[in-house]
Amino acid sequence: MKICTGIAPVNIAVIKYWGKKDEKLILPMNDSISGTLSTDEMHAKTSVALSPDFTEDKLWLNGKEVSIHQPRVAVCLSELRKLAQQKKSGGDMVHWKMHICSENNFPTAAGLASSAAGYSCLVFTIAHALGLDSSQVSHIARQGSGSACRSMFGGFVRWRALPSELEGKQSDGEESEDLRRKQSEASNAEQIISEAYWGSMRVIILVVNDQAKSTSSTDGMQRTTLTSTLYTHRVHTVVPERCERMETALNEKDFATFAQLTMQDSNQFHACCLDTYPPIVYMNDTSHAVVRFVHEFNTVAGGTKVAYTFDAGPNACLYLLEDSVPLLLSTLVQYFPASSEISVPYVRGLKYSTTPSPLQLPSFTPQPAGLLQYLISTRIGSGPKILDDIPNNHLVNEQGAPNHLTS
Amino acid sequence: MKICTGIAPVNIAVIKYWGKKDEKLILPMNDSISGTLSTDEMHAKTSVALSPDFTEDKLWLNGKEVSIHQPRVAVCLSELRKLAQQKKSGGDMVHWKMHICSENNFPTAAGLASSAAGYSCLVFTIAHALGLDSSQVSHIARQGSGSACRSMFGGFVRWRALPSELEGKQSDGEESEDLRRKQSEASNAEQIISEAYWGSMRVIILVVNDQAKSTSSTDGMQRTTLTSTLYTHRVHTVVPERCERMETALNEKDFATFAQLTMQDSNQFHACCLDTYPPIVYMNDTSHAVVRFVHEFNTVAGGTKVAYTFDAGPNACLYLLEDSVPLLLSTLVQYFPASSEISVPYVRGLKYSTTPSPLQLPSFTPQPAGLLQYLISTRIGSGPKILDDIPNNHLVNEQGAPNHLTS
């Protein structure tokens, strides 16, 4: 019997992933780059129990049992077991069944890349239990949820698309098992800079009040690759050059370049969504108000102090340096006031002791109260961690049952 | 003394113009195609009085005197006089001063391409007064406001960008007067099909309740051409092919193809605005709700019955065939109800006698009342017209003073 518990971070792309070359292996159309958020504020947590007595694999998500046979979970488990056998790691445990419990410490409803953190945590924790090197399994996390591979490392991370020499199919139209394996292993994530290298990088998440059901990203990506005439240009011409400039900006800690590239790439991702037929729209009027606010803030502040980026939903994620946070927060709270009915802190997470007077933004009108639900103040952090030395931390007990269930 | 009065239509592009190759001549980066709306519902009206007794040119817009020296008005007048001299047309009148009164019969605030109708009307009416052939002056209207050249004809109209053989500058970097003149005359508008050829084409304009000040299109275009990396691909690759397919669809009266191209091109124009840095956003949440409504309407109706298109503002323009109008209107009014405080008819313009039961759209939620101010029901119509035979129609009197002034 073995029990292992890990946590894994959320990541927020600054050069966006959108579109798959291969739906099954989840091979992306282009490279992407993301920042890994500190697990102090947001993380997924997974416990895995392995025992020779268990008769079947089982999975609980946020306290609810779900099918272990969903293809993306199943492929992660089988790939991890296959790798362990190949590496002669984990001994008999590769034949034991697993009971897995996983949960997020942040609302899934916030649309904050919960599946990336979740699959990263699942793969990281099981890899650890089976004695595998966790730095070598990002390609397995990728097969759970594409961007999960980027949550396998701290700092800023680049997820590479398939190198062109591995793209070809064999002459008979069928790809060999061997080529498929090579393809899968070649599209992995790697750290560009560590969380310590640019330690002053901060992140603020703006959770937008919005009930609208968005297009799922899997469906959206397929539609974009099939119908957007601008998308191909983005993939082949714009992104490769942007990734190189982004890596340079990160290595040189050049915030202005980092910020402009981040904003431009977010806008271009949403532009390609809009160029999809029928169009896909993730940003709403509040999101666009945040965009105008950030540009106006930067104008009045006399330089590019803050960058916005938006994923497949209306929430904004702001990147900025530590010394800009107090002024940004006081100004943001002034121009996007909390609802008068708010019952929880409006700004959560990392605290700052100074509260400067807000910047006055002559060209930006204060917004109605309650457009934003709340803000999460956080920073760039490290990759997944094992918590085994912390007592009572497991989500699963010695009998392989979850420690708490929700109905 | 001569007095002449004309009216000119609004046009709504189905393949969008965005971006100039030459700011002064207003040479567009790409061809565009538009439908000309009937002057019955919306038009600009211009009266021009010419007299040897007038001491200076004067201009009143919507009853208010404005400077005649604004460069775009000045260039239209001087080009028309130059052409008349060249063609030996208009006799002594080319030396007479003009008093010009111009107004729109629709609210400028609605953001409905009022400058296109206005400059088209100005140039058409003065050309007529000077005895010029009005089918040969679209390149002059273009220099007032780019898309004004498309309002010089009825039906569907194509505005051609400069042919590549005229693009070159001379070796010394300076363009000769002669080349500039050739360039200007080469970018003109021409009718693709007449209003009678596809007589069942109808248009409904949805005026969105919105106070936001938008980026001016002149500023927006400049920023897009300078900063959007997707825009070049649109201009060089996407639009040329789309224009050919659109012409074919119009000639074949193939509504489904016409409608899909129209929607895709509107979306791509707004995608390029979003890809601009800082981004330009003209559509708002109401605009996007209209987009979702139209796609859902088409899905439930079992075919592409309606197309939307959006210009540099949040208002929607729907193209559809006559037999789809009653069902579209009853469904639209059900899902976008009028404000309870509305004091004018919600649907204005062309009337239809049947009011079928609305389509039920299972995936589209009825919107809050009052998102739309009102609807204008109209059709594709003819080009500018002279109204001289209608008594008491002039906006200017025999003394060259406007018949009504606003403060």
Side-chain angles (χ1 to χ4, degrees):
Chain A
M1 169 85 190
K2 182 176 177 99
I3 302 186
C4 212
T5 296
I7 57 172
V10 167
N11 73 78
I12 304 281
V14 292
I15 302 290
K16 301 293 189 192
Y17 153 56
W18 194 251
K20 304 180 182 73
K21 204 165 273 176
D22 183 304
E23 291 287 332
K24 195 147 170 266
L25 287 179
I26 311 193
L27 300 173
M29 292 289 284
N30 57 260
D31 285 22
S32 55
I33 295 176
S34 58
T36 297
L37 305 192
S38 166
T39 51
D40 291 352
E41 280 76 35
M42 293 160 71
H43 59 253
K45 183 175 176 181
T46 301
S47 292
V48 57
L50 297 105
S51 162
D53 301 332
F54 293 164
T55 55
E56 51 175 348
D57 293 330
K58 276 169 168 274
L59 173 65
W60 289 263
L61 277 187
N62 295 313
K64 246 189 173 155
E65 186 166 3
V66 297
S67 167
I68 192 88
H69 301 297
Q70 26 178 324
R72 290 180 169 199
V73 174
V75 76
C76 288
L77 298 195
S78 78
E79 288 291 306
L80 285 162
R81 283 172 167 140
K82 212 185 288 175
L83 188 65
Q85 278 187 299
Q86 206 182 84
K87 302 270 185 194
K88 305 201 191 311
S89 174
D92 277 349
M93 284 195 294
V94 294
H95 304 297
W96 295 358
K97 298 296 180 188
M98 305 179 191
H99 286 192
I100 307 162
C101 286
S102 190
E103 55 183 48
N104 296 321
N105 77 335
F106 56 94
T108 317
L112 293 166
S114 54
S115 69
Y119 276 103
S120 161
C121 203
L122 180 99
V123 169
F124 179 85
T125 308
I126 298 173
H128 181 83
L130 296 178
L132 291 165
D133 177 353
S134 64
S135 72
Q136 302 296 317
V137 291
S138 74
H139 67 284
I140 299 180
R142 189 201 69 230
Q143 293 172 73
S145 173
S147 58
C149 67
R150 296 189 312 234
S151 276
M152 297 296 279
F153 302 93
F156 281 87
V157 179
R158 181 167 178 167
W159 170 20
R160 291 199 179 270
L162 206 57
S164 54
E165 65 270 23
L166 280 178
E167 273 197 12
K169 304 203 176 217
Q170 297 194 323
S171 54
D172 59 0
E174 285 294 304
E175 287 158 331
S176 68
E177 191 67 21
D178 185 53
L179 177 62
R180 296 289 283 170
R181 191 184 46 72
K182 276 191 192 143
Q183 287 180 331
S184 180
E185 286 171 9
S187 176
N188 50 30
E190 62 199 20
Q191 188 178 69
I192 302 171
I193 60 168
S194 76
E195 61 276 21
Y197 179 82
W198 202 352
S200 56
M201 187 65 89
R202 295 292 177 274
V203 172
I204 296 173
I205 292 165
L206 282 53
V207 180
V208 167
N209 249 325
D210 185 74
Q211 305 85 334
K213 174 84 187 69
S214 296
T215 310
S216 91
S217 56
T218 298
D219 294 351
M221 286 181 193
Q222 282 183 354
R223 222 156 79 199
T224 302
T225 55
L226 288 173
T227 65
S228 168
T229 50
L230 300 179
Y231 173 74
T232 318
H233 185 69
R234 164 171 170 76
V235 163
H236 292 114
T237 309
V238 182
V239 172
E241 187 253 359
R242 258 183 204 169
C243 281
E244 299 317 307
R245 289 171 58 207
M246 181 59 88
E247 276 216 29
T248 305
L250 289 167
N251 279 305
E252 295 177 353
K253 301 185 202 173
D254 171 358
F255 186 81
T257 303
F258 163 84
Q260 184 171 335
L261 286 170
T262 296
M263 293 187 272
Q264 287 179 313
D265 206 67
S266 173
N267 292 334
Q268 186 167 92
F269 153 51
H270 292 281
C272 288
C273 287
L274 191 49
D275 189 50
T276 299
Y277 187 80
I280 304 165
V281 176
Y282 290 122
M283 296 170 75
N284 64 17
D285 283 351
T286 303
S287 315
H288 290 296
V290 170
V291 166
R292 283 185 285 112
F293 169 86
V294 168
H295 285 291
E296 188 63 16
F297 182 92
N298 286 338
T299 300
V300 174
T304 310
K305 304 294 184 188
V306 187
Y308 54 77
T309 185
F310 295 82
D311 283 336
N315 298 325
C317 176
L318 307 184
Y319 277 96
L320 69 175
L321 296 180
E322 186 177 15
D323 57 8
S324 302
V325 178
L327 185 59
L328 181 278
L329 278 179
S330 70
T331 310
L332 188 63
V333 164
Q334 161 114 340
Y335 282 92
F336 287 86
S339 159
S340 57
E341 289 157 21
I342 195 168
S343 58
V344 291
Y346 192 40
V347 183
R348 307 176 187 185
L350 268 189
K351 294 278 174 285
Y352 293 79
S353 53
T354 59
T355 310
S357 310
L359 269 190
Q360 293 308 308
L361 309 180
S363 307
F364 188 81
T365 317
Q367 300 292 300
L371 291 189
L372 304 180
Q373 272 186 63
Y374 57 86
L375 284 57
I376 305 171
S377 162
T378 183
R379 55 184 296 166
I380 296 297
S382 60
K385 279 189 270 291
I386 293 297
L387 299 184
D388 285 352
D389 47 350
I390 307 176
N392 302 324
N393 226 327
H394 301 309
L395 299 174
V396 63
N397 63 25
E398 300 277 327
Q399 288 73 47
N403 279 327
H404 37 91
L405 280 172
T406 55
S407 55
Chain B
M1 170 85 190
K2 181 176 179 101
I3 302 186
C4 211
T5 295
I7 57 171
V10 167
N11 73 77
I12 304 282
V14 292
I15 302 291
K16 301 292 189 193
Y17 153 55
W18 194 250
K20 304 180 182 72
K21 203 163 273 175
D22 184 303
E23 291 287 333
K24 198 150 166 265
L25 287 180
I26 313 192
L27 299 174
M29 292 288 283
N30 55 258
D31 285 23
S32 56
I33 295 176
S34 58
T36 296
L37 305 193
S38 166
T39 51
D40 292 349
E41 280 76 36
M42 295 160 71
H43 59 255
K45 181 174 176 181
T46 301
S47 292
V48 57
L50 297 105
S51 162
D53 301 333
F54 294 164
T55 56
E56 51 176 349
D57 291 329
K58 279 170 167 271
L59 173 65
W60 290 264
L61 277 187
N62 294 314
K64 243 185 173 160
E65 185 167 2
V66 297
S67 167
I68 194 89
H69 303 296
Q70 26 178 325
R72 291 180 168 198
V73 174
V75 75
C76 288
L77 298 196
S78 78
E79 289 291 306
L80 284 162
R81 284 172 166 140
K82 211 185 292 174
L83 189 64
Q85 279 187 301
Q86 207 183 84
K87 303 268 185 194
K88 306 195 189 314
S89 174
D92 277 348
M93 284 195 292
V94 295
H95 305 294
W96 296 358
K97 298 296 179 188
M98 303 179 192
H99 286 193
I100 307 162
C101 286
S102 189
E103 55 184 47
N104 296 322
N105 76 335
F106 56 96
T108 317
L112 292 166
S114 54
S115 69
Y119 277 103
S120 161
C121 202
L122 180 100
V123 170
F124 180 86
T125 308
I126 298 174
H128 181 84
L130 295 177
L132 291 165
D133 176 353
S134 65
S135 72
Q136 301 297 316
V137 292
S138 74
H139 68 284
I140 299 180
R142 188 201 70 231
Q143 294 172 73
S145 173
S147 57
C149 67
R150 296 188 313 233
S151 277
M152 298 295 279
F153 301 93
F156 281 87
V157 178
R158 182 167 178 164
W159 171 18
R160 292 199 179 269
L162 208 57
S164 54
E165 64 271 21
L166 281 178
E167 274 196 11
K169 305 201 176 220
Q170 296 195 326
S171 54
D172 59 0
E174 284 294 304
E175 287 159 332
S176 68
E177 191 67 20
D178 184 53
L179 177 62
R180 296 290 283 170
R181 190 185 47 73
K182 275 192 192 144
Q183 286 180 331
S184 180
E185 287 172 8
S187 177
N188 50 29
E190 63 198 22
Q191 188 178 70
I192 303 171
I193 59 168
S194 74
E195 62 275 23
Y197 180 81
W198 201 353
S200 56
M201 187 67 88
R202 294 291 177 275
V203 172
I204 296 172
I205 291 165
L206 282 52
V207 180
V208 168
N209 249 325
D210 185 73
Q211 306 85 335
K213 173 87 186 66
S214 295
T215 310
S216 90
S217 58
T218 299
D219 294 350
M221 285 181 193
Q222 281 183 354
R223 223 154 82 202
T224 302
T225 54
L226 288 172
T227 65
S228 168
T229 51
L230 299 179
Y231 173 74
T232 319
H233 184 70
R234 164 170 170 76
V235 163
H236 293 115
T237 308
V238 181
V239 172
E241 186 253 359
R242 257 182 204 171
C243 282
E244 301 316 308
R245 287 171 58 208
M246 182 58 89
E247 276 216 27
T248 305
L250 289 167
N251 279 306
E252 295 177 352
K253 302 185 203 174
D254 170 359
F255 186 80
T257 303
F258 163 82
Q260 182 170 338
L261 286 170
T262 296
M263 294 188 270
Q264 287 179 314
D265 206 67
S266 173
N267 293 333
Q268 185 167 92
F269 153 50
H270 292 279
C272 288
C273 288
L274 191 50
D275 189 51
T276 300
Y277 187 81
I280 304 165
V281 176
Y282 290 121
M283 295 170 75
N284 64 15
D285 284 352
T286 302
S287 315
H288 290 296
V290 170
V291 167
R292 283 184 283 111
F293 169 86
V294 168
H295 284 291
E296 187 63 17
F297 182 91
N298 286 338
T299 300
V300 174
T304 310
K305 305 292 184 189
V306 186
Y308 53 78
T309 185
F310 295 83
D311 283 335
N315 298 325
C317 177
L318 307 185
Y319 277 96
L320 69 174
L321 296 180
E322 186 177 15
D323 56 8
S324 302
V325 179
L327 185 59
L328 182 277
L329 277 179
S330 69
T331 311
L332 187 63
V333 164
Q334 161 113 338
Y335 282 93
F336 287 86
S339 159
S340 56
E341 289 156 23
I342 195 167
S343 59
V344 290
Y346 192 40
V347 184
R348 308 178 187 185
L350 267 190
K351 293 278 174 285
Y352 292 79
S353 52
T354 58
T355 310
S357 311
L359 268 190
Q360 293 308 308
L361 308 180
S363 307
F364 188 81
T365 317
Q367 300 292 300
L371 291 189
L372 304 179
Q373 274 187 63
Y374 58 85
L375 284 57
I376 305 172
S377 162
T378 183
R379 56 184 295 164
I380 296 298
S382 59
K385 279 189 271 290
I386 292 298
L387 298 186
D388 286 351
D389 46 351
I390 306 176
N392 303 322
N393 227 326
H394 300 310
L395 299 174
V396 64
N397 64 26
E398 301 277 327
Q399 288 72 48
N403 280 327
H404 37 93
L405 281 172
T406 55
S407 56

